[in-house]
Amino acid sequence: MIAPALMAALVTALAAPAFADGDAANGEKAFRKCAACHTITEDGPSRVGPNLYDIVGRTTGAVDGFAFSAPMTELGEEGHVWTPEELDRFIEDPKAVVPGTKMAFAGIKKPEERADLVAYLLSVSPGAEAGAD
């Protein structure tokens, strides 16, 4: 018999999207949902939301000149960093992950679409450790 804690860990691991298996080209298409509020180019401006270029590995709430919500700023001050896993959670349900966020996006429920989007964000994050297995 499998211990409940081990079973929970296995279910979580099996359910987690494989970002390495995400398709960055599909993620670029999925980013269109984000492009109304975010840019993704190096040195691109912030819009309603911050520029997301090099987001993976960035401290939360750390875009110069952008007025983040208090909860986002507090997360960054506590040392929170955007990892692929954290981005996946946030993209799925922003308001559940960061209550009080100003982001007015309901989220993306499909795990495959989120994996593709995170793969795209990884592809435009030169500061992230690329290819680390």
Side-chain angles (χ1 to χ4, degrees):
M1 180 168 197
I2 298 177
L6 178 58
M7 180 60 81
L10 287 171
V11 168
T12 300
L14 293 174
F19 304 112
D21 294 335
D23 184 316
N26 286 340
E28 184 174 11
K29 292 174 190 163
F31 186 78
R32 292 178 189 153
K33 294 177 181 179
C34 313
C37 297
H38 298 278
T39 58
I40 192 91
T41 56
E42 186 173 11
D43 299 322
S46 290
R47 292 185 179 155
V48 173
N51 181 314
L52 298 180
Y53 180 81
D54 208 15
I55 183 73
V56 180
R58 180 193 301 162
T59 300
T60 303
V63 174
D64 289 336
F66 186 78
F68 287 93
S69 64
M72 241 357 142
T73 301
E74 290 166 9
L75 274 176
E77 290 169 351
E78 294 169 2
H80 184 269
V81 172
W82 288 118
T83 64
E85 295 78 16
E86 288 294 305
L87 286 165
D88 177 62
R89 288 180 55 236
F90 186 73
I91 292 165
E92 181 178 17
D93 191 349
K95 293 195 180 297
V97 173
V98 183
T101 182
K102 293 190 293 187
M103 188 160 150
F105 181 68
I108 297 174
K109 303 306 176 206
K110 294 179 183 177
E112 300 82 14
E113 186 176 3
R114 290 194 319 273
D116 291 345
L117 183 53
V118 171
Y120 175 61
L121 293 173
L122 275 164
S123 78
V124 294
S125 291
E129 290 184 10
D133 290 334

